[in-house]
Amino acid sequence: MKARIVTPQELILGYGAPDQTEALCAAAAALGAEFCEITEGMLDTALSDCIAQGQRGSFGGTPEFSGDAAVIFHGFTRKRLDEALERIAGLNIPLKAVGTQKNQSWTVRTLLAELAKERAWFAEENRRKQTPSVPLHEETRKGRDGQ
């Protein structure tokens, strides 16, 4: 008997981008994936439950958003994820994540908070790399010489 490998249905979950929902839906459709919008009422739900509900198309509620827009990918291979990212490249969605075994137990709110922290950390790292630093020996010499 051959083992049957079940591949998860590709799903894109969007949060905080109501003006870009149509474009996200179109991107998902072009990829043959499902798209579901996460509403404010879903923020304290485990990501795994959002994925299950999204795959059944049973989201409901009014989208009321706070914070940065986010998109969460589920069931995509690396190659397909690259394709999906190319399709949404022009959209203003700063937070992006992939559903993993580890983060599927987190609430959506926790995942969004972690993504925001990561984004802030990367922004700070990029700022530090772009800020020219003065070698320590030059600062010391300037201090001694009074310049």
Side-chain angles (χ1 to χ4, degrees):
M1 185 168 138
K2 286 188 175 184
R4 190 174 141 202
I5 299 173
V6 178
T7 56
Q9 177 185 358
E10 293 176 336
L11 175 67
I12 299 174
L13 299 167
Y15 172 77
D19 56 329
Q20 298 174 78
T21 298
E22 192 173 311
L24 286 169
C25 285
L31 292 162
E34 295 291 323
F35 171 77
C36 288
E37 190 170 45
I38 295 174
T39 62
E40 200 73 20
M42 300 294 291
L43 290 178
D44 293 316
T45 303
L47 181 59
S48 59
D49 292 338
C50 289
I51 289 167
Q53 289 179 13
Q55 290 176 335
R56 289 192 304 269
S58 60
F59 275 155
T62 305
E64 296 174 17
F65 304 106
S66 59
D68 288 328
V71 65
I72 303 164
F73 298 94
H74 170 74
F76 284 80
T77 63
R78 181 67 177 152
K79 181 179 177 183
R80 293 281 292 160
L81 180 61
D82 288 342
E83 291 174 31
L85 290 170
E86 283 179 27
R87 289 210 175 261
I88 67 164
L91 301 180
N92 183 22
I93 303 176
L95 304 178
K96 297 171 184 73
V98 173
T100 65
Q101 282 186 316
K102 181 176 180 177
N103 69 18
Q104 284 189 30
S105 63
W106 299 356
T107 65
V108 174
R109 186 182 311 276
T110 299
L111 177 60
L112 295 175
E114 287 300 314
L115 290 173
K117 281 187 220 175
E118 282 181 14
R119 184 170 187 250
W121 183 86
F122 278 110
E124 178 62 23
E125 285 299 302
N126 286 336
R127 187 192 63 73
R128 270 194 241 157
K129 287 177 184 177
Q130 293 175 359
T131 303
S133 59
V134 178
L136 184 59
H137 66 285
E138 285 186 29
E139 284 183 8
T140 305
R141 188 179 68 226
K142 284 181 182 178
R144 261 194 340 248
D145 298 341
Q147 297 177 351

